[in-house]
Amino acid sequence: QVHLVESGGGLVQPGGSMRLSCAANGFMFDEYGIRWFRQAPGKEREEVAFITPASSFTHYADSVKGRFTISRDNAENTVILQMNNLRREDTAVYYCVVNLRGTDYWGQGTQVTVSS
């Protein structure tokens, strides 16, 4: 059973930092790329970051480029999203996602609220 669990969200002030984790189980973790998405009320779902299986390539949305960093530890089946210089518009539920044989598997999400 494919399972992804996000953690690390919460309330943070503008300009602050937050570290999200995604723990994955049920598939060969080191053979698949992982994506972070976010969903905010009234906005379209946005792909925030992507990382290849061996961390050889990463991609970021323009909205987070230079502020967010995606990384992974294949020995621990974990993906990290380090978020710095957070803005109010970063407020959203953040999800990690893996595509297995044409099917997307999502975690339950973790809420990030950027507010003073």
Side-chain angles (χ1 to χ4, degrees), residues 38 46-48 59-67 87:
R38 66 186 181 187
E46 179 183 28
E47 181 179 321
V48 172
H59 174 77
Y60 301 92
D62 288 342
S63 56
V64 308
K65 197 171 299 180
R67 301 186 297 119
R87 305 165 179 169

Side-chain angles (χ1 to χ4, degrees), residues 5 13 16 25 27 31-32 38 42 52 64-65 71 74 77 97 105 109:
V5 180
Q13 294 189 172
N25 300 102
F27 62 99
E31 294 183 0
Y32 292 91
R38 66 186 181 187
T52 53
V64 308
K65 197 171 299 180
S71 61
N74 287 345
N77 285 16
V97 182
Y105 293 84

Side-chain angles (χ1 to χ4, degrees), residues 27-76:
F27 62 99
M28 299 294 287
F29 182 78
D30 61 358
E31 294 183 0
Y32 292 91
I34 303 292
R35 305 174 193 271
W36 283 96
F37 283 80
R38 66 186 181 187
Q39 178 69 66
K43 295 183 177 180
E44 294 185 5
R45 184 161 51 218
E46 179 183 28
E47 181 179 321
V48 172
F50 169 75
I51 187 167
T52 53
S55 302
S56 57
F57 174 81
T58 57
H59 174 77
Y60 301 92
D62 288 342
S63 56
V64 308
K65 197 171 299 180
R67 301 186 297 119
F68 290 14
T69 302
I70 188 171
S71 61
R72 65 192 296 164
D73 185 342
N74 287 345
E76 297 292 332

